[in-house]
Amino acid sequence: MTLQPFSLNVGGFLAAGLRAAQPGGRRVLALHGWLDNAASFVPLAAHLPDLDLVALDLPGHGHSAHLPAGTQYNTPGAICHVLDVADALGWDRFTLIGHSMGAGIASLTAAAAPERVERLVAIEALGGLRGPEDETAQRLREHVRAARALPGRNLRVFPDLSTPIRARMMTNQLSEPCARLLVERGVKPVEGGYSWCSDPRLMLPTAMRLSEAQIDDLLAAIECPTQVIYATPAQSYYPEPLRSERIKLLRDGRLAVFPGTHHLHMEHPQVIGDVIRGFLAG
């Protein structure tokens, strides 16, 4: 299944992505990770035939528009955007697949709108990152300082794609082909070469995070069957036993764990595709 570029006007906002529209296929909306884009799902799509698969560039990422000045990137806004995109597609009920940040958004969308989400696949995250209560003030201060200092900063220009590709390979333990997929959709041509096309505001420290108790309450509210997929070893920011403990809160959850890195859905798409196909068929 080959993904093709598409775009939608969602309330005056340009939402872009990649789509493989199989007539009559299961409606699946795929959400990528932080600073990634819809190309995150290109390798996996080849192993998920017979789906009406829409891989979305989330706001500020890939080819989608940036949020207007003065508007915050936050989880409630992302949830509403996902539902707005589904509305624009004419989808009443649909399946969500998410990776990393996209898995956090997908799982909280399932909690917030259970009548819309029929199945959920969460890869390398479930419920989002927690924020200890005693770090709340410091986190907010850091966000405000960084946000006020952001205007006027110049974007870095790369003479060619080799430098950003190497950077993604090193930062995310990605192979060259997978890093190239993300970079080619994540840059724009400018004078002197290329710069990232993602919104610089995405790099700001998160202003507020949910507590673990709040995340627990949201996960317990997910009504649909859920397939969680983790790579081992775990990421330092989402360690064991925390990540496995969260799955116990799901009403209908199952877990698959495979050796690999954070982008295991890109590096091992056949293995992950087999799990997802079995889950969707179940």
Side-chain angles (χ1 to χ4, degrees), residues 41-260:
F41 295 99
V42 168
L44 187 60
H47 302 278
L48 297 176
D50 305 323
L51 299 180
D52 187 352
L53 177 64
V54 172
L56 186 65
D57 287 329
L58 290 164
H61 295 78
H63 295 179
S64 285
H66 297 183
L67 292 182
T71 305
Q72 295 287 323
Y73 289 92
N74 55 41
T75 300
I79 293 170
C80 289
H81 180 70
V82 168
L83 296 173
D84 288 344
V85 168
D87 289 346
L89 290 167
W91 292 1
D92 179 40
R93 286 179 59 78
F94 53 93
T95 291
L96 280 170
I97 298 176
H99 169 249
S100 194
M101 178 190 74
I105 293 169
S107 54
L108 297 185
T109 301
E115 73 284 357
R116 302 294 300 274
V117 182
E118 57 189 11
R119 283 184 176 259
L120 168 65
V121 178
I123 305 170
E124 278 287 272
L126 184 66
L129 296 178
R130 63 179 173 177
E133 289 89 340
D134 59 1
E135 296 178 3
T136 302
Q138 183 61 32
R139 184 177 299 280
L140 182 60
R141 290 170 183 171
E142 291 174 357
H143 173 85
V144 170
R145 280 197 295 266
R148 289 174 56 80
L150 187 62
R153 290 183 61 182
N154 294 323
L155 293 176
R156 183 178 178 184
V157 177
F158 305 101
D160 55 51
L161 296 184
S162 61
T163 299
I165 289 172
R166 284 197 304 271
R168 287 305 306 257
M169 290 173 67
M170 294 177 63
T171 301
N172 299 118
Q173 299 174 282
L174 284 167
S175 64
E176 192 276 344
C178 290
R180 181 176 293 276
L181 279 173
L182 295 175
V183 168
E184 288 180 345
R185 192 171 178 84
V187 297
K188 60 184 177 182
V190 297
E191 184 177 353
Y194 301 88
S195 69
W196 297 113
C197 58
S198 53
D199 192 332
R201 290 179 292 168
L202 295 168
M203 296 291 290
L204 294 174
T206 304
M208 297 280 187
R209 280 186 179 168
L210 297 170
S211 69
E212 193 63 32
Q214 289 174 309
I215 293 173
D216 288 353
D217 184 68
L218 288 162
L219 294 179
I222 296 174
E223 298 178 5
C224 65
T226 301
Q227 174 70 64
V228 180
I229 303 173
Y230 289 149
T232 185
Q235 297 291 315
S236 60
Y237 55 81
Y238 190 41
E240 291 290 0
L242 170 66
R243 66 178 193 169
S244 294
E245 289 294 322
R246 286 189 178 180
I247 297 166
K248 298 176 183 179
L249 297 163
L250 297 171
R251 303 185 191 186
D252 184 1
R254 61 224 68 192
L255 172 65
V257 181
F258 299 99

Side-chain angles (χ1 to χ4, degrees), residues 13-35:
F13 180 93
L14 175 67
L18 299 168
R19 184 176 189 178
Q22 180 68 31
R26 178 186 289 272
R27 297 167 170 178
V28 179
L29 191 57
L31 310 178
H32 60 77
W34 179 59
L35 298 182

